[in-house]
Amino acid sequence: MAGKRRQFGRIRKLPSGRFQARYLDPNGVLRPAPETFETKTDADDWLAEVQTSIRKQDWRDPDAGAVNFAEYAEAWITERGLMPTTEELYRRLLRLHLVPALGAWDLDEITPPRVRTWRAELLTSGKATTTAKAYRLLKAIMATAVDDELIRRNPCRIKGAGKESAPERGTASIEKVYELAELVGPRWRLMVLLGAFTTLRPEELAELRRSDLDLVAGTVRVRMAAPELNTGRRAPGDTKTEAGKRTITMPAAMLPDARLHLELFAEKEPDGLLFVGERGAPFRRTSFGRIWRAARVKAGLPGFRFYDLRHTGNTLAASTGASLKELMARMGHASVRAALIYQHATSERDRKIADGMDAEIARQLGGGTDPSERA
């Protein structure tokens, strides 16, 4: 008995002896299988899988992923509407680390093995943090390609590859904060104190205006931020998050410094910048950086970064017993994650204090036994 005629697709035997399978896609386009088959049964099984995917509406155009990665990634960044500093970072990662290795490939040619090889080679440069950032960017771009139905699955599947292991931030004592404030000179003294005791970010300090300081209420208001790009240009705009717009109470000990700064160094217009250089220009990382590096060396804190002032202030705020919501409001954070870190650090320190007290109690009572056992 003759076999039942195939209803979906066609199979033909090639002069080589192998079999070719072809089918009409949902758009009526005749498509061959991407490879030939050793037996007719193998070709028939492949056509059955394709037919099932079409019936389940799971069929994907095999040419959809034939989009150049470099072109797609450039468009991806342009369409995001990113903050200037984020866009600058993404374009640098793309230019230096993604395009040189993957830019010649189409999206569907970027496979998990190819991603693993690229990451392993980048890690050999010793730039673990940069590798994590580049991997996260690649994963985000490929996730959008999945959403656009250009590829079936994201090839970035390395667990933990996008996680950064940042070094623990330093903290300074209150005495050291004032020493640093003295060493940077009168023009920048208030900026150091605000960085530590109101925990403002550098980009928030850069955009503070004379009108943002209320010496009667003793507060500083954060409305905007002006991050500095690698070109040296400031990019004024919104704060990092909506929670970044906040009003913070300054410690009373800072108010004389704030009053003197307004009198001597801030721009005189009501909405003039709070911090400007000697020639009236907004402060820049390059010029202030030289002053800061010299000051921290003299203070005996050679690795202490300006951003560590914020960490110092957050730690100090947590040590006062501030609640989670109070810490979040002061820090300008929308999520509880960072605030919990500071609360956890404070509770650990409190445990150490209690342990030390236990040891001293045991020493003075004699016998060295655990005080809790002396009930």
Side-chain angles (χ1 to χ4, degrees), residues 99-127:
V99 168
L102 305 171
W105 304 105
D106 287 342
L107 292 173
D108 58 1
E109 295 176 311
I110 300 177
T111 60
R114 189 158 279 159
V115 171
R116 286 196 299 271
T117 300
W118 160 77
R119 177 177 174 269
E121 291 176 351
L122 187 54
L123 278 172
T124 61
S125 67
K127 299 177 180 177

Side-chain angles (χ1 to χ4, degrees), residues 73-362:
E74 286 284 354
W76 186 92
I77 293 175
T78 300
E79 293 167 0
R80 295 277 86 74
L82 302 167
M83 297 283 285
T85 48
T86 304
E87 181 176 348
E88 183 182 61
L89 171 64
Y90 284 0
R91 292 197 183 279
R92 185 168 70 250
L93 291 171
L94 190 65
R95 183 180 71 255
L96 297 179
H97 304 296
L98 293 177
V99 168
L102 305 171
W105 304 105
D106 287 342
L107 292 173
D108 58 1
E109 295 176 311
I110 300 177
T111 60
R114 189 158 279 159
V115 171
R116 286 196 299 271
T117 300
W118 160 77
R119 177 177 174 269
E121 291 176 351
L122 187 54
L123 278 172
T124 61
S125 67
K127 299 177 180 177
T129 299
T130 298
T131 300
K133 291 181 188 295
Y135 181 86
R136 287 204 306 273
L137 175 59
L138 176 62
K139 187 174 183 179
I141 292 170
M142 300 307 283
T144 303
V146 173
D147 291 341
D148 289 343
E149 299 183 352
L150 300 178
I151 54 176
R152 283 190 180 277
R153 290 186 65 192
N154 195 325
C156 300
R157 304 171 198 169
I158 307 171
K159 186 175 291 186
K163 186 176 180 180
E164 297 177 40
S165 298
E168 187 175 347
R169 290 196 176 276
T171 56
S173 65
I174 293 175
E175 183 181 6
K176 283 295 182 181
V177 169
Y178 272 95
E179 185 177 350
L180 286 166
E182 186 71 24
L183 288 168
V184 296
R187 181 175 291 276
W188 307 112
R189 177 183 175 87
L190 181 64
M191 191 163 70
V192 171
L193 297 180
L194 285 172
F197 300 134
T198 64
T199 73
L200 267 61
R201 301 175 176 92
E203 61 269 26
E204 294 168 347
L205 289 164
E207 190 57 19
L208 283 181
R209 306 283 167 163
R210 172 183 282 269
S211 57
D212 291 325
L213 283 190
D214 185 338
L215 298 184
V216 176
T219 59
V220 55
R221 175 180 54 173
V222 180
R223 295 175 295 163
M224 297 178 66
E228 184 177 342
L229 305 179
N230 286 336
T231 59
R233 181 178 68 86
R234 290 277 175 190
D238 283 335
T239 53
K240 190 174 181 180
T241 65
E242 194 62 28
K245 296 176 181 178
R246 60 204 190 279
T247 298
I248 305 165
T249 302
M250 295 180 283
M254 284 180 54
L255 295 181
D257 291 290
R259 189 172 291 107
L260 185 63
H261 185 90
L262 287 175
E263 182 181 340
L264 298 179
F265 302 115
E267 290 184 330
K268 300 305 179 185
E269 300 81 8
D271 209 36
L273 285 170
L274 191 61
F275 297 110
V276 292
E278 292 181 4
R279 298 181 181 178
F283 84 91
R284 295 178 60 180
R285 280 195 305 257
T286 50
S287 54
F288 176 75
R290 289 191 293 270
I291 299 171
W292 175 255
R293 287 190 293 272
R296 69 186 187 184
V297 168
K298 289 181 181 178
L301 300 169
F304 193 76
R305 296 157 294 187
F306 187 84
Y307 205 93
D308 292 339
L309 290 170
R310 175 173 162 82
H311 180 59
T312 296
N314 288 336
T315 302
L316 181 61
S319 71
T320 66
S323 70
L324 193 61
K325 280 192 174 182
E326 289 167 340
L327 283 176
M328 288 172 62
R330 193 169 184 87
M331 293 161 60
H333 273 283
S335 74
V336 301
R337 179 175 171 272
L340 280 171
I341 290 172
Y342 289 105
Q343 279 203 333
H344 177 65
T346 303
S347 65
E348 283 188 342
R349 181 60 187 156
D350 190 59
R351 179 69 265 165
K352 289 180 180 178
I353 292 171
D355 289 344
M357 292 172 65
D358 277 343
E360 182 61 18
I361 291 170

